[in-house]
Amino acid sequence: MTSTASLAHGWRSAARTDTGKVRARNEDAFLDFPEQGLWVVADGMGGHHNGALASRLIVEQLAELPEGSLAERLANLRRCLHDLNRRLGQELTVTADRPDPVTGSTVVALLMESDRAACVWAGDSRCYLWRGGRLYQLTRDHSLLQQLIDEQNLTPQEAARHPAAHALTRAVGASEQLVLDILEFDVYPGDTLLLCSDGLYQNLSPDALGAALNSPLTTLALQRLYDQAMDGPARDNLSAVVVRR
């Protein structure tokens, strides 16, 4: 378990990762870097060695990004993730004789500058916004489950019956070409944002997420999220970063 709480440039943030109740090892990684207005959650895949390597590389490389305007930082972040996609693809070739050759990771990253923010993601790690008493999911999962919902008009319950419903359709290192989704938006005082891996949100309802994010402190919001998540099965690693302006 790792936990941090930070305050810089008007943003308060708190972050934590946990193995959960079932997994022996943690393939998640997070970055809590309010001094740069940068927060990241990465959820590795491909067995512990490969998954932990992928998520750790993402966090370490993004932590080294240079300062600049939001547009410059966003361009550098995208370039870094594309470079990592090629690097992890080479890892895939090198380890192709292993039973778990995939070396990849989801990523969701949040950049902030003054009253503007940019969210970048690939995979099913999410970004939520709590504003004015309402919860908004800003990201859209890159998973077979979401694809079935979108393309075959299935309900989430129907799509979840597919045996590969939670397979990812995008991730860093999972394919030759990485496609990132990007959302830019305005940030207002009192906004609270949550970055998290699927291990945290998969057993929490939107109401439970919103109730936790409505807490007066980021540290308290984070604690409430984990209290509720760990009351459930917690079969996967859980990572979360709570950011408030």
Side-chain angles (χ1 to χ4, degrees):
M1 179 193 308
T2 306
S3 183
T4 68
S6 307
L7 169 63
H9 300 293
W11 299 306
R12 295 180 182 272
S13 59
R16 177 176 166 183
T17 186
D18 196 287
T19 56
K21 295 181 179 179
V22 177
R23 300 283 181 92
R25 304 178 188 276
N26 196 341
E27 296 179 55
D28 284 5
F30 70 81
L31 178 62
D32 180 20
F33 202 177
E35 297 83 2
Q36 293 281 4
L38 173 61
W39 299 267
V40 182
V41 166
D43 180 357
M45 57 193 227
H48 170 65
H49 172 76
N50 291 350
L53 169 68
S55 61
R56 178 174 55 81
L57 282 174
I58 287 173
V59 165
E60 289 177 351
Q61 293 296 307
L62 292 183
E64 298 298 321
L65 291 178
E67 297 184 29
S69 68
L70 184 64
E72 291 168 337
R73 294 162 61 215
L74 179 57
N76 287 332
L77 186 146
R78 294 176 62 190
R79 189 177 303 112
C80 179
L81 291 176
H82 283 287
D83 289 345
L84 281 169
N85 188 69
R86 286 189 291 272
R87 178 175 173 182
L88 292 172
Q90 292 169 357
E91 291 281 343
L92 172 63
T93 303
V94 169
T95 61
D97 59 336
R98 293 187 180 184
D100 57 345
V102 176
T103 305
S105 177
T106 72
V107 64
V108 57
L110 178 67
L111 287 165
M112 281 202 205
E113 180 185 86
S114 186
D115 59 354
R116 289 290 291 170
C119 181
V120 181
W121 75 98
D124 61 357
S125 292
R126 291 180 179 176
C127 179
Y128 291 92
L129 168 66
W130 176 257
R131 173 184 288 171
R134 291 188 61 186
L135 182 72
Y136 303 89
Q137 182 182 328
L138 300 185
T139 55
R140 193 171 188 82
D141 294 347
H142 300 138
S143 66
L144 180 59
L145 185 146
Q146 188 64 54
Q147 189 171 305
L148 291 170
I149 293 170
D150 294 341
E151 296 180 1
Q152 298 188 24
N153 295 317
L154 300 181
T155 66
Q157 294 75 20
E158 291 170 336
R161 298 191 191 110
H162 192 286
H166 294 286
L168 298 179
T169 55
R170 296 189 209 173
V172 181
S175 59
E176 186 175 345
Q177 295 296 323
L178 173 64
V179 180
L180 298 166
D181 275 355
I182 301 167
L183 177 67
E184 296 189 51
F185 55 99
D186 292 328
V187 183
Y188 299 100
D191 280 357
T192 301
L193 290 120
L194 168 67
L195 306 181
C196 59
S197 60
D198 66 326
L200 184 100
Y201 69 71
Q202 60 189 348
N203 292 306
L204 295 182
S205 68
D207 286 344
L209 290 170
L213 295 178
N214 196 39
S215 304
L217 300 173
T218 55
T219 51
L220 183 56
L222 189 70
Q223 185 61 50
R224 288 179 174 174
L225 287 168
Y226 271 84
D227 285 347
Q228 294 180 81
M230 295 300 285
D231 274 345
R235 297 187 184 94
D236 201 355
N237 306 146
L238 318 92
S239 294
V241 181
V242 179
V243 183
R244 177 170 296 159
R245 186 176 179 208

